[in-house]
Amino acid sequence: MENNLNQEIIEHLMHPRNYGPLENPTGIGVGHSEKSGEFVIFYLLTEDRTIRSVGYATNGCHDTVVLGSMFTEMIKGESLEYADKAAEKLQAKVALGPVKQQACAQMVLTAFKAAQIHETNRLKGSKEELHAIEIDMECEVEE
């Protein structure tokens, strides 16, 4: 089983899914660490509370790329409610792992949350280009 997991991680690292911006997203969010300068930009395209397309970009580490790829694959085509529950489960699962992975997951999931906030703000008439939230962790931690 662990060998399969390693193969899946390697596959997401070598060929990240959903990497890059979307054309005409309904929400754009950024999770960033001011201290380290690392960030994740998350792009959402929803219709009737369903995620039609999703993308992300990062200047973070390999763990951030893998987590972004895996998470976007989990939620693409799903409802926003499902995606919120998947984010909670991923956060809980990663909380059992190394601090570095916790920080990377926090950056990805915070960017997702920020994209949802941006989408809501736009529906209310906001002209903001994106919504950014600073995280309280950074990927480059010493263990």
Side-chain angles (χ1 to χ4, degrees), residues 13-30:
L13 179 60
M14 299 301 292
H15 307 285
R17 303 335 182 265
N18 309 305
Y19 195 88
L22 296 181
E23 195 168 310
N24 301 315
T26 53
I28 303 172
V30 177

Side-chain angles (χ1 to χ4, degrees), residues 29-32 39-42 56-58 63-72 75 87 90-91 101-115 135 139:
V30 177
H32 67 97
F39 62 84
V40 171
I41 304 172
F42 207 97
Y56 76 102
T58 184
D63 286 344
T64 307
V65 172
V66 169
L67 285 164
S69 180
M70 293 175 98
F71 180 65
T72 57
I75 65 170
L90 179 61
Q91 186 72 46
Q101 287 178 351
Q102 292 175 37
C104 297
Q106 184 183 24
M107 200 172 327
V108 170
L109 299 175
T110 299
F112 170 61
K113 179 181 176 182
I135 67 165
C139 283

Side-chain angles (χ1 to χ4, degrees), residues 84-97 102 105 109:
D84 287 337
K85 288 179 183 159
E88 289 173 17
K89 286 181 181 179
L90 179 61
Q91 186 72 46
K93 188 171 187 170
V94 172
L96 303 173
Q102 292 175 37
L109 299 175

